[in-house]
């Protein structure tokens, strides 16, 4: 049983948030700045207020609840994750970490604890990059790694830029730069996330304490040819963008295998235009997601992918490649890793040190403040799918570890529960 966190409250929060999806009954689809996203933000505002937090939305739409504590001028401990989703994803990816932060706030209130420094709970936008590509947008903007002047150049699949979508959401993109955190304003950043893999469940362990997150890159390729009639255009007279793209795509998995056993490559989005069964395609776009534990492997695979795509050019086809994201492998704070591991043990939980194959805002925040990341088990290791599941008791045990660490970071020994 969890020592502090309340599984039923966690269930209420997760299920409450999961009502706001564009694909009810077919998983969670909640795109940044969408109508569902606004509803979710309003739900989170209300819960943060109920937890005794002062609530604001920053200039890019992050929802932030703050408990000033005894010394408001001190650097804050920030706890949170993202509340956007992949298409038809699960209800825990992101929200588990947001509700974990909320639960920490509820527990501080319940135990009558006044932290010595501010505690902030954050629900972040656009971690997945489902709408505007790349991903990790909130943490990259907060830490100055993504220039807000570029938000007008990040289009979604309908050509609506992030800046335009912000305006429609009621934000002013010209003020987005004000969301950037002051250096030194965070004492620590802590994130709880579902593992999204099979290890903890397979080994019967309660929590994973992440020591490092693999490097990742994302490129977007565009192959252009000439539209034409499927019936009247001889095969040797075609500039078929899809035939060119397929040639490149077919080679990519082997490039990953040749790069090394831990390198992975995924083509997750592919669009063929104009999309008529009797029309020769003149435009194909696709994304390539690349990950590896070593930076040089990521770089090597990006370059080999780039070459394979460029080889599709010629014979009347042109190719464009846009690098949407590059993040080297990130070691997380050894001190916070030790703190989290010590509290897991003190709580009688089975924990293991892990490397994360999934990307998280923690990998960006780690460049700004000492950062820790706690995993809880995923049933069958499934994620980015409607079947994603974590038992609420398991989630509560992970929150206990987070709560104990927050208390250590914000309370003198004699006042910690
Ligand atoms: O892609 C990832 O690793 C994360 O889910 N954004
Ligand atoms: Mn995800
Ligand atoms: Mn996530």
């Amino acid at each position: 049983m969890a020592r502090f966190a309340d599984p039923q409250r966690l269930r209420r929060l997760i299920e409450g948030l999961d009502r706001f999806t564009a694909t009810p009954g077919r998983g969670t689809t909640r795109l940044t700045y969408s109508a569902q996203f606004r509803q979710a933000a309003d739900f989170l505002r209300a819960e943060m207020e109920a937890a005794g937090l002062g609530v604001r939305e920053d200039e890019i739409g992050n929802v932030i609840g703050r408990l000033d504590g005894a010394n408001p001028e001190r650097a804050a401990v920030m706890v949170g994750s993202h509340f956007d989703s992949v298409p038809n994803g699960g209800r825990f990816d992101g929200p588990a970490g947001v509700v974990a932060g909320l639960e920490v706030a509820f527990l501080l209130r319940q135990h009558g604890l006044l932290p010595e420094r501010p505690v902030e709970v954050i629900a972040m936008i656009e971690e997945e990059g489902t709408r505007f590509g790349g991903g990790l947008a909130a943490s990259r903007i907060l830490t100055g790694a993504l220039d807000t002047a570029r938000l007008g150049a990040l289009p979604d699949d309908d050509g609506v830029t992030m800046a335009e979508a912000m305006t429609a959401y009621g934000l002013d993109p010209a003020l987005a730069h004000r969301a950037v955190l002051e250096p030194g304003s965070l004492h620590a950043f802590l994130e709880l996330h579902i593992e999204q893999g099979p290890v903890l469940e397979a080994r019967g362990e309660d929590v994973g304490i992440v020591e490092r997150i693999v490097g990742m890159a994302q490129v977007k390729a565009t192959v252009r040819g000439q539209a034409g009639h499927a019936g009247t255009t001889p095969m040797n007279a075609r500039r078929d963008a899809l035939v060119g793209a397929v040639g490149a795509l077919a080679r990519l998995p082997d490039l990953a295998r040749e790069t090394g056993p831990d390198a992975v490559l995924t083509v997750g989005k592919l669009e063929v235009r104009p999309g008529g069964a009797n029309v020769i395609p003149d435009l194909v776009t696709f994304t390539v997601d690349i990950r590896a534990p070593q930076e040089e492997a990521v770089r090597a695979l990006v370059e080999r992918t780039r070459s394979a795509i460029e080889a599709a050019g010629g014979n009347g086809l042109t190719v464009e490649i846009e690098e949407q994201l590059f993040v080297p492998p990130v070691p997380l704070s050894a001190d916070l890793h030790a703190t989290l591991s010590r509290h897991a043990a003190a709580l009688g939980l089975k924990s293991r040190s892990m490397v994360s194959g999934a990307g998280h805002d923690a990998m960006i925040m780690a460049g700004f403040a000492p950062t820790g990341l706690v995993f809880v088990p995923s049933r069958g290791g499934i994620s980015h799918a409607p079947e994603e599941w974590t038992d609420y008791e398991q989630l509560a045990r992970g929150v206990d570890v987070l709560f104990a660490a927050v208390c250590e970071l914000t309370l003198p020994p004699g006042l910690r529960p």
Side-chain angles (χ1 to χ4, degrees):
M1 284 297 283
R3 176 92 56 87
F4 301 107
D6 176 353
Q8 290 317 310
R9 183 161 52 201
L10 292 168
R11 174 181 188 150
R12 179 179 65 77
L13 293 168
I14 290 282
E15 292 181 352
L17 203 45
D18 204 46
R19 288 171 296 160
F20 311 119
T21 168
T23 52
R26 290 182 296 118
T28 305
T29 304
R30 189 164 49 241
L31 269 54
T32 298
Y33 305 137
S34 64
Q36 298 78 25
F37 196 81
R38 182 65 258 164
Q39 290 173 302
D42 291 337
F43 172 78
L44 290 169
R45 290 181 68 101
E47 290 297 338
M48 287 179 178
E49 279 157 16
L53 302 176
V55 184
R56 68 186 179 93
E57 290 180 50
D58 71 6
E59 290 78 4
I60 59 172
N62 295 316
V63 185
I64 302 168
R66 179 179 168 98
L67 179 59
D68 274 339
N71 303 285
E73 74 290 349
R74 288 188 186 174
V77 170
M78 180 181 272
V79 186
S81 193
H82 61 96
F83 70 116
D84 65 310
S85 79
V86 296
N88 305 96
R91 65 178 66 178
F92 294 92
D93 177 0
V98 173
V99 307
L102 263 170
E103 180 67 10
V104 166
F106 277 116
L107 290 170
L108 288 170
R109 184 187 178 95
Q110 216 167 287
H111 290 262
L113 299 170
L114 180 67
E116 293 283 288
R117 62 173 67 251
V119 173
E120 291 194 338
V121 177
I122 188 167
M124 289 190 191
I125 68 160
E126 197 61 4
E127 187 272 347
E128 299 288 5
T130 304
R131 185 167 181 188
F132 301 107
L136 304 171
S139 45
R140 288 194 289 150
I141 290 169
L142 288 174
T143 59
L146 173 56
D147 182 351
T148 55
R150 288 194 49 220
L151 303 185
L154 300 176
D156 65 12
D157 290 345
D158 299 324
V160 177
T161 69
M162 189 166 173
E164 289 164 340
M166 288 171 72
T167 303
Y169 190 69
L171 298 167
D172 178 354
L175 302 180
H177 63 282
R178 294 184 181 174
V180 180
L181 297 174
E182 281 297 311
S185 60
L186 290 190
H187 181 65
F189 177 79
L190 293 173
E191 182 171 10
L192 177 146
H193 205 284
I194 53 173
E195 178 197 340
Q196 300 179 297
V199 174
L200 291 175
E201 180 186 58
R203 295 170 188 269
E205 285 152 347
D206 299 301
V207 293
I209 312 296
V210 178
E211 61 181 79
R212 189 161 36 87
I213 302 175
V214 300
M216 59 192 289
Q218 214 165 83
V219 299
K220 180 179 177 184
T222 303
V223 181
R224 284 187 172 80
Q226 174 59 53
H229 194 295
T232 58
T233 312
M235 292 309 285
N236 62 5
R238 296 179 175 214
R239 291 162 49 199
D240 186 330
L242 182 57
V243 169
V246 165
L249 287 167
R251 295 188 51 218
L252 299 185
D254 283 343
L255 294 182
R257 292 187 191 96
E258 291 156 16
T259 301
D262 300 322
V264 289
L265 180 149
T266 310
V267 176
K269 287 179 80 170
L270 173 70
E271 193 170 14
V272 181
R273 293 199 182 164
N278 56 357
V279 180
I280 300 168
D282 67 339
L283 186 135
V284 171
T285 60
F286 59 90
T287 59
V288 186
D289 178 301
I290 288 165
R291 324 261 176 125
Q294 303 81 18
E295 180 173 349
E296 54 278 8
V298 178
R299 289 195 185 282
L301 187 47
V302 168
E303 283 319 302
R304 302 176 76 190
T305 297
R306 185 183 283 277
S307 306
I309 297 169
E310 280 161 357
N315 302 322
L317 297 180
T318 61
V319 171
E320 274 168 49
I321 299 171
E322 179 196 350
E323 190 163 302
Q324 294 189 313
L325 180 73
F326 182 88
V327 187
V330 174
L332 300 185
S333 159
D335 288 348
L336 283 176
H337 184 279
T339 299
L340 291 163
S341 304
R342 179 165 29 84
H343 284 296
L347 287 160
L349 300 176
K350 287 188 219 129
S351 78
R352 74 173 21 244
S353 185
M354 299 182 80
V355 174
S356 174
H360 300 288
D361 287 307
M363 72 196 296
I364 303 299
M365 300 306 288
F368 184 82
T371 293
L373 176 58
V374 179
F375 278 170
V376 291
S378 292
R379 186 171 62 191
I382 296 170
S383 182
H384 283 190
E387 297 79 8
E388 181 182 281
W389 181 264
T390 295
D391 290 343
Y392 291 107
E393 175 57 33
Q394 289 173 320
L395 180 53
R397 289 187 202 127
V399 176
D400 276 0
V401 177
L402 208 65
F403 176 61
V406 169
C407 289
E408 177 170 326
L409 292 167
T410 64
L411 290 164
L415 292 180
R416 296 169 197 163

